[in-house]
Amino acid sequence: VDFVVTAQGGILLGVAVDYGDTSTDLFGAGGARTARFMFSHAYSAAGTYEVRARATDAVAGDKDATVEVRVQ
């Protein structure tokens, strides 16, 4: 499954992604004001997964976004 996370902030530190299947990834943003991350994840079993991306900003704190993914 391909994902795109776009984040804006004051000083973006990074994005943590929880794929809902015990797998996670971390992406650094290096203090940027905007960042776009494109990445893929392979699920090993069919099912419904809640994917959560958490952007961490030194000024605004943490912001979450979730999406439900159905794998057949």
Side-chain angles (χ1 to χ4, degrees):
V1 178
D2 295 325
F3 297 94
V4 177
V5 173
T6 303
Q8 283 184 273
I11 303 172
L12 288 172
L13 301 176
V15 172
V17 180
D18 180 342
Y19 296 103
D21 65 351
T22 72
S23 298
T24 59
D25 271 325
L26 297 172
F27 302 95
R33 292 187 59 98
T34 62
R36 180 180 173 139
F37 305 94
M38 297 169 38
F39 50 95
S40 297
H41 181 71
Y43 288 91
S44 61
T48 301
Y49 302 92
E50 181 176 275
V51 179
R52 177 180 309 274
R54 172 171 286 165
T56 300
D57 184 272
V59 176
D62 293 342
K63 301 290 181 183
D64 289 349
T66 60
V67 65
E68 186 176 275
V69 174
R70 290 189 183 126
V71 177
Q72 297 184 359

